[in-house]
Amino acid sequence: MILVINETIDSGTPQKVADFLNRIPQDEIKLEHFIYLQSRGGNCSCAEVINHLINKSEFGITLVGFGQLCSCAFDLFFNHQGRKMLTKGTIGMYHHSSINVDIHENNKPDYTEDKAKLIYLTGHMRQETSKMMKMLNFTAIEVKKVRSGKDVWFQPERMHEFLKTVNK
């Protein structure tokens, strides 16, 4: 079976993946199934749920990146524990995660929820960014650009280098 995700990753995307996995017949468990992914990013939490669904499923899921894999889609692709493939022209983009919070005039978060979001962003997400850069062997220049808050774009050749690194 084949699922194509060609959209911003949002709250509806994990359900599409769950529906796809639930439609795979039991007698096709050992067959290879494909999820094609192209996205400019979106909600990091939703990408984590998708990755969990795919990695914990009993099916052989091959994740195929095409077009562009940006932000949380980049994370989703390279954190996939199963087989991964890239189409020839796939580009990628990685950067620091961001989150929306309301700030008072006194330069502090409006709500307790916003304080929790900031802790999540500067704790968990910062650690995840560091792990990704280490796992893919980012160059010192790439790391510096990400840490300075820039979007770092990767051409197809570099994306295939990353793929070789994680497929070892």
Side-chain angles (χ1 to χ4, degrees):
M1 292 186 70
I2 298 171
L3 172 67
V4 178
I5 299 172
N6 185 8
E7 62 191 41
T8 298
I9 295 171
D10 63 19
S11 60
T13 315
Q15 188 61 55
K16 291 177 185 175
V17 172
D19 291 345
F20 167 74
L21 295 171
N22 287 331
R23 283 193 310 271
I24 298 174
Q26 282 301 113
D27 61 342
E28 294 183 9
I29 287 176
K30 298 205 187 276
L31 298 178
E32 188 173 24
H33 305 281
F34 296 88
I35 297 178
Y36 286 79
L37 175 65
Q38 171 176 259
S39 177
R40 291 193 43 81
N43 185 304
C44 292
S45 296
C46 293
E48 287 181 5
V49 170
I50 293 166
N51 205 27
H52 186 265
L53 286 167
I54 295 169
N55 287 335
K56 298 300 180 189
S57 76
E58 56 191 323
F59 308 109
I61 302 293
T62 296
L63 193 55
V64 182
F66 71 100
Q68 57 185 343
L69 297 171
C70 303
S71 193
C72 69
F74 186 98
D75 279 320
L76 171 58
F77 181 81
F78 285 109
N79 281 321
H80 174 57
Q81 294 170 358
R83 186 167 179 234
K84 291 180 272 298
M85 300 170 66
L86 290 168
T87 60
K88 286 184 183 179
T90 306
I91 61 173
M93 187 277 293
Y94 198 66
H95 59 188
H96 274 162
S97 296
S98 62
I99 202 162
N100 294 324
V101 294
D102 294 322
I103 303 290
H104 273 294
E105 288 177 4
N106 64 3
N107 205 25
K108 294 190 177 169
D110 244 354
Y111 306 105
T112 307
E113 174 188 2
D114 292 327
K115 291 176 187 173
K117 286 179 182 179
L118 284 172
I119 292 168
Y120 171 77
L121 182 66
T122 58
H124 173 72
M125 292 309 296
R126 183 175 287 156
Q127 289 175 351
E128 292 299 312
T129 298
S130 293
K131 283 196 300 192
M132 178 63 67
M133 292 189 297
K134 184 176 181 176
M135 178 178 76
L136 296 178
N137 296 320
F138 275 32
T139 66
I141 292 169
E142 292 164 349
V143 170
K144 185 177 180 181
K145 286 180 180 178
V146 169
R147 293 209 190 285
S148 68
K150 293 186 170 80
D151 292 348
V152 182
W153 287 89
F154 302 103
Q155 294 304 308
E157 298 79 18
R158 187 70 171 125
M159 292 293 284
H160 283 275
E161 287 175 20
F162 292 151
L163 187 60
K164 286 178 187 171
T165 298
V166 296
N167 281 341
K168 287 182 181 178

